[in-house]
Amino acid sequence: MDEVWFAIPSASVERCRERLPAWRAMGYRVAVLQNRERGEIPADRVVWRDDYPGWAESVNMLCREVVPREAPVVVTGGDDMLPDSEADAQELLRLFRSRFPDGFGVMQPAGDTHMNAREYCGSPWFGRAWIQRAYQGNGPMHGSYRHNWADHELRWVAEALGALWMHEGATQRHEHFTRTGEAPPAFWEGEVSAHDRLDVERFMARLWQGFPGHTPAWGQGVDSAWWAERYDGTAHRYWAARYGNEWIGSDAATRLSAALALCERRGLRRVAVYGAGSETRAAGAALMSPPVEVVCLIDDDPRLAGSSLWGYPIESLDVATRREMDAVVLSSRSMNESLAARVEPLAARGIEIVSAQDALAAA
């Protein structure tokens, strides 16, 4: 009989002891990557990591290095998930195989709708061929996310590749602390909340770029237009509600789009955008597929140097000026005059300076 493995990272010995027995009782083998807390838990395989690479990359590691390679399916999620109580592992495996006989598929039991769970794959089943072939053979999920939004990307990539089954007849209950009334786990603030903004911005940037690297090994990828036509803006609304003051498709995006289009008309191919503040954060849609090459974002806040926004690196002016560029677009609501003064040395070198505010009027 083929084994079905439930494989998760966990930072809580207590939660593993509380919930893993339910998985074993329903016929699953269990593998856990422990971090933060080390202790004996009811699992078949346990490995320890001093550092935490994030949820998605932890799942990739478990699938590559811990779960036996002959296992036809790996199920993942977290230590706050419970298995379907009506169908055991073998029954669900039979259903999975009937849908994905070659193993290239992702099944998300979608009977539990808590936290809009049908919008993403938070506790997916991975077929062996998906594990081996997804993301050019690098693992079943994209490992760049710290915690949130990797499951949203998984859902969209699997659907685009014709490999998704949102199985509403199966239920894996998510005992999230917002549902149970418990306090957030000890790791939550540092590992989840602190990285949420970067994760959602990473998702939006990758979506706009067609989820780079999604092409499966020995297969064809999907043109970025597929997502542009179908995406309903969930992440944009989430970002605007939590971190921004306006919709990402707002006037700020119109202004920046006009500036980038003006650069294209003038033959300015390599462009830096000056300003990584609220104006550029609200203008993300303009950077979805710009008509010119955006080489970087420039900002004077030293705390932003070395980070990124919408998938583009943020650099200080001194660092950015070492790049080859044809133009700098000033992207600010109220500081364009001071930014223009800052880039006068660039203008003296023949680099054109374009104001996003003025470009819209000239469009």
Side-chain angles (χ1 to χ4, degrees), residues 299-342:
D299 202 272
D300 297 324
D301 187 342
R303 296 172 297 180
L304 297 179
S307 63
S308 64
L309 176 65
W310 308 131
Y312 297 93
I314 301 176
E315 300 175 352
S316 68
L317 180 60
D318 289 341
V319 171
T321 53
R322 301 170 196 164
R323 289 179 175 269
E324 292 183 11
M325 65 181 78
D326 303 314
V328 174
V329 171
L330 308 182
S331 177
S332 174
R333 291 179 184 166
S334 58
M335 298 179 60
N336 284 293
E337 288 186 7
S338 62
L339 295 184
R342 292 269 293 149

Side-chain angles (χ1 to χ4, degrees), residues 4-5 23 28 73-76 84 87-94 96 100 105-109 121 123-127 130-131 154 163 165 170 172:
V4 179
W5 281 74
W23 290 90
Y28 297 83
V73 165
V74 177
V75 188
T76 192
D84 189 298
D88 66 16
Q90 292 302 311
E91 182 176 348
L92 290 173
L93 175 59
R94 286 193 292 273
F96 183 93
F100 303 112
V106 176
M107 180 180 80
Q108 172 60 50
C121 295
S123 56
W125 287 54
F126 298 126
W130 179 269
I131 293 169
L154 173 64
W165 182 16
Q172 290 175 171

